[in-house]
């Protein structure tokens, strides 16, 4: 029998934008939990319940910009696997590191370095948030709570009515694309940053409704390398412990 998510654990997942607001210096384990929640925001493409909000201000895109965005879409749609170290920094001062594995579509593993106790796994059908220290587990359906554009089977920025491109910039060797949820633009934004020629995902930046930024930078990234399928299977330690106690 698996552990059911508790209210506090579920809140850390579903209320990730609020969790990023480090308005004070919390204990280190709490700080890491809040930083971990920010990854969910980033990969959820600012997911959340729809609300009556002003319309999103779409960027004015010329033919060259649309061509660049189409290249980004093609790159992500051809991307199979990602294996990298990551550095996560909040504009409020929090910092964490860990290992990231992505196997598109649908699979992801984010494991933070100690002392953070957080493990996040997308299995292809659900997203699992595990706090090892508190022994709390939360489950969310990928279809109900999107694990994000990086895990979608088909990525489309200009053809997806649920997303609005609000900013696009080309600088020497770098492309930056910013998105909001079309029906709730004030909830926050997601920016993706790529190197160009050859194109490669470098980092993403989440800006929440209060203006707090969380940047996740990939380090020593390997794209297209074989990954062990076991990385994306969650073995509930509480279930095994209960069996041993019988």
């Amino acid at each position: 029998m698996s552990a059911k998510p508790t209210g506090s654990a579920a809140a850390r997942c579903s209320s990730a934008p609020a969790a990023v607001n480090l308005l004070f210096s919390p204990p280190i384990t709490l700080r890491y939990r809040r930083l971990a929640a920010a990854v969910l925001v980033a990969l959820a493409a600012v997911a959340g319940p729809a609300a009556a909000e002003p319309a999103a201000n779409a960027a004015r895109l010329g033919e060259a910009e649309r061509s660049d965005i189409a290249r980004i879409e093609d790159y992500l749609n051809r991307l199979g696997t990602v294996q990298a170290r990551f550095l996560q920094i909040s504009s409020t001062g929090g910092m964490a590191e860990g290992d990231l594995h992505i196997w598109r579509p649908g699979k992801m593993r984010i494991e933070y370095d100690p002392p953070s106790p957080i493990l996040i796994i997308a299995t292809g059908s659900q997203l699992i948030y595990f706090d090892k220290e508190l022994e709390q587990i939360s489950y969310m359906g990928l279809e109900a709570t999107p694990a994000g554009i990086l895990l979608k089977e088909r990525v489309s920025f200009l053809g997806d009515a649920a997303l609005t491109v609000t900013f696009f910039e080309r600088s020497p060797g770098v492309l930056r694309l910013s998105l909001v949820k079309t029906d709730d633009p004030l909830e926050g934004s997601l920016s993706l940053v790529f190197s160009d020629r050859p194109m490669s995902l470098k980092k993403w930046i989440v800006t929440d409704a209060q203006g707090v930024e969380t940047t996740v930078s990939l380090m020593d990234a390997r794209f297209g390398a074989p990954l062990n399928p076991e990385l994306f299977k969650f073995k509930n330690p509480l279930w095994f412990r209960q069996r041993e106690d019988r």
Side-chain angles (χ1 to χ4, degrees), residues 38 86-91 96 203-206 213-217:
F86 69 85
L87 172 64
Q88 186 174 327
I89 299 175
S90 168
S91 61
K203 62 182 176 181
W204 57 78
I205 303 102
V206 176
E213 288 191 355
T214 301
T215 300
V216 179
S217 301

Side-chain angles (χ1 to χ4, degrees), residues 59 61 65-66 68-73 76 149-150 155-158 163-170 174-180 189-194 201 203-206:
L61 303 172
E65 288 83 3
R66 289 180 174 273
D68 283 334
I69 293 174
R71 289 198 300 117
I72 292 174
E73 293 173 341
L76 292 175
I149 59 173
L150 297 183
V155 175
S156 177
F157 300 127
L158 298 179
L163 298 174
T164 296
V165 176
T166 58
F167 178 80
F168 182 81
E169 179 182 56
R170 163 186 282 280
V174 179
L175 301 175
R176 175 168 174 155
L177 175 75
S178 296
L179 309 160
V180 297
S189 67
L190 170 67
S191 297
L192 300 173
V193 180
F194 303 83
L201 176 64
K203 62 182 176 181
W204 57 78
I205 303 102
V206 176

Side-chain angles (χ1 to χ4, degrees), residues 110-228:
I110 299 172
E111 188 159 13
Y112 284 83
D113 292 345
S116 171
I118 304 303
L119 171 66
I120 300 168
I121 297 178
T123 64
S125 61
Q126 62 182 352
L127 190 70
I128 302 168
Y129 181 102
F130 179 41
D131 188 320
K132 305 170 190 175
E133 185 176 87
L134 299 181
E135 297 187 340
Q136 292 178 335
I137 305 170
S138 293
Y139 298 88
M140 295 180 287
L142 288 180
E143 68 288 344
T145 310
I149 59 173
L150 297 183
L151 300 185
K152 283 185 176 181
E153 185 169 2
R154 188 72 184 169
V155 175
S156 177
F157 300 127
L158 298 179
D160 188 344
L163 298 174
T164 296
V165 176
T166 58
F167 178 80
F168 182 81
E169 179 182 56
R170 163 186 282 280
S171 55
V174 179
L175 301 175
R176 175 168 174 155
L177 175 75
S178 296
L179 309 160
V180 297
K181 189 177 178 183
T182 301
D183 60 4
D184 199 359
L186 299 184
E187 191 175 74
S189 67
L190 170 67
S191 297
L192 300 173
V193 180
F194 303 83
S195 62
D196 194 15
R197 305 192 189 282
M199 185 171 292
S200 180
L201 176 64
K202 291 299 183 182
K203 62 182 176 181
W204 57 78
I205 303 102
V206 176
T207 304
D208 72 9
Q210 287 71 43
V212 176
E213 288 191 355
T214 301
T215 300
V216 179
S217 301
L218 303 185
M219 303 178 294
D220 301 322
R222 298 177 61 196
F223 300 95
L227 296 179
N228 186 345

